Structures are given as C-alpha cells and as structure tokens.
Amino acid sequence: MKRVTRRERQLLWIGSSRKDYGEFPPKVQEAFGFELFLAQTGQHPPSAKPLKGMGSGVLELIDVFDGDAYRAVYTVRFEAAVYVLPSFMKKSKQGIKTPQSDIELIKRRLRDAELHYRANKPETNDERI
C-alpha cells in the first residue's frame, strides 16, 4: 500500500500573535499547537470553526482553561503557508461574540498576511504557488 505524505505548510505569525500565544497556559499552547500542525498538513483541526464575516479560509481555535477563553485565529487561504493572525484571551463578558475591535485587528492582520505572502511567495519547480 502506498503511503501518502502531506507537504507541511510553513507556519507564520503576524504582529504580536506569537508573543501573545507564548503567554497562554502550557495546556492551551499544547492543544493549539497540535491543531495548528494539523492545519499545516492540510487537515481540519477538530475544534476549528470558520470565523463569521471573514470569508472562507479564516478559522478560529477556542479553548477554555481555568475559566478563561483563549482564541487563535489563523488563515489557510495560502497554498504554502498558514498564518496565525491574532492570539488572545477573550476579555468580553458579553456572550461568545468576538468584539468589534478584535474583528478589526483580524482584518488588518489578514491584509498584512496577504501582502507578506505576495511579496514572499515560495517557488518550487519554477512554478509560483
């Protein structure tokens, strides 16, 4: 039986997302780290949900630990990279809706990811991806 190997996408962090992620509790980092790895290998992480209003390819991971909700938003819109946009502890006490200020941050970082990807598109076999 032939084994199918998946090409791993590069994991890139926009803005302060990596620093913010590093401040999460270790158990949250471990859970999100595994799920981001799944995204890198083209799989759909079990807890990933599309982020409403952002179009296709923008997903959100959510974990609750010790009464706090942690989120990491990432995009798989690019063939060769997964970009982590923001990582944050949800501070709003008004239900599950993402605050507008966080939505605006996500939109800005998504634009930054698009610009970065266009400027740094990897080449393989003389073919742009």
Side-chain angles (χ1 to χ4, degrees):
M1 184 149 127
K2 186 176 180 180
R3 184 176 172 184
V4 176
T5 58
R6 297 177 190 254
R7 188 171 143 222
E8 190 175 314
R9 295 178 183 183
Q10 192 173 13
L11 183 65
L12 301 168
W13 304 80
I14 298 292
S16 64
S17 61
R18 187 171 198 158
K19 177 183 134 337
D20 298 336
Y21 176 88
E23 295 173 3
F24 289 177
K27 286 192 183 266
V28 175
Q29 288 184 45
E30 184 179 316
F32 283 177
F34 177 70
E35 295 202 291
L36 289 169
F37 172 76
L38 292 176
Q40 283 181 270
T41 58
Q43 300 174 71
H44 184 76
S47 73
K49 293 183 173 79
L51 189 60
K52 292 180 182 173
M54 300 305 277
S56 67
V58 178
L59 299 116
E60 179 176 39
L61 301 174
I62 301 171
D63 195 2
V64 176
F65 179 79
D66 203 22
D68 293 317
Y70 296 88
R71 296 182 179 200
V73 178
Y74 68 96
T75 183
V76 293
R77 287 184 180 174
F78 311 104
E79 189 174 341
V82 171
Y83 284 88
V84 180
L85 305 171
S87 305
F88 57 95
M89 184 175 80
K90 186 172 178 288
K91 295 177 181 137
S92 173
K93 303 295 182 196
Q94 301 172 344
I96 61 171
K97 187 175 179 182
T98 305
Q100 188 61 35
S101 60
D102 290 333
I103 294 294
E104 293 304 319
L105 176 64
I106 293 165
K107 288 179 180 178
R108 280 193 310 274
R109 291 198 177 166
L110 183 57
R111 282 190 299 268
D112 291 346
E114 289 167 349
L115 291 171
H116 181 270
Y117 190 77
R118 271 190 245 143
N120 299 286
K121 243 187 230 183
E123 290 184 39
T124 56
N125 300 333
D126 297 328
E127 191 177 316
R128 289 201 162 270
I129 58 174

